Amino acid sequence: MEKKDELEKHEPRASAAWQLDGLKRMTWIGVTEFYGQSICALRSILHEKPMCSCAIQAVNQTSTHQTHGTHPDDVTLTGDDLKRLKSLHSWRVESLKYSFALTHLNATLAKFNLSCLLELP
């Protein structure tokens, strides 16, 4: 008979908890949509002082959305499609992990008085 721990590895909820526990142990977490802010947080951690400023962020606020050769506008999701996606366990787990990552990034930036970098324009 398998050990209880080995069984939990195959249980989606245990897997989600395991993933979040892993995220909680990380010193730095980067978020793709906040690439510049994530790199600033990493550099600040490594140098133990703020390595960017909010004034620079205000100047660089305009950005372009890069699709890297994909065609996202070719895909149209209906309300039913979104409802089905959001009902998936993996959607809920990924949403939870994303939320945690944003909170972690904000807390890291706050340690260097840089929370302003995550403010919306």
Side-chain angles (χ1 to χ4, degrees):
M1 183 170 175
E2 293 183 82
K3 294 179 185 175
K4 183 179 178 186
D5 291 336
E6 291 173 357
L7 287 173
E8 288 179 352
K9 287 180 188 176
H10 303 289
E11 169 62 35
R13 291 189 195 332
S15 176
W18 180 79
Q19 291 174 45
L20 284 175
D21 286 343
L23 288 174
K24 291 175 184 175
R25 290 190 303 270
M26 292 183 177
T27 302
W28 173 78
I29 298 174
V31 178
T32 304
E33 291 84 357
F34 296 98
Y35 180 80
Q37 297 90 327
S38 297
I39 296 301
C40 173
L42 176 61
R43 291 181 64 227
S44 298
I45 289 168
L46 294 174
H47 293 276
E48 299 179 344
K49 65 180 183 179
M51 293 303 293
C52 56
S53 74
C54 294
I56 293 171
Q57 178 66 15
V59 172
N60 296 329
Q61 200 68 27
T62 59
S63 64
T64 57
H65 181 80
Q66 296 185 12
T67 61
H68 305 283
T70 63
H71 304 282
D73 294 334
D74 292 348
V75 177
T76 303
L77 296 176
T78 66
D80 286 340
D81 294 334
L82 288 173
K83 185 177 177 181
R84 278 186 293 238
L85 280 172
K86 291 180 179 183
S87 72
L88 296 173
H89 177 73
S90 58
W91 178 280
R92 294 190 300 275
V93 170
E94 293 304 315
S95 296
L96 184 60
K97 288 171 25 184
Y98 182 77
S99 175
F100 179 84
L102 281 178
T103 301
H104 192 285
L105 177 58
N106 187 50
T108 302
L109 290 169
K111 290 177 187 175
F112 300 100
N113 198 26
L114 294 170
S115 294
C116 54
L117 296 178
L118 290 183
E119 291 177 0
L120 296 175

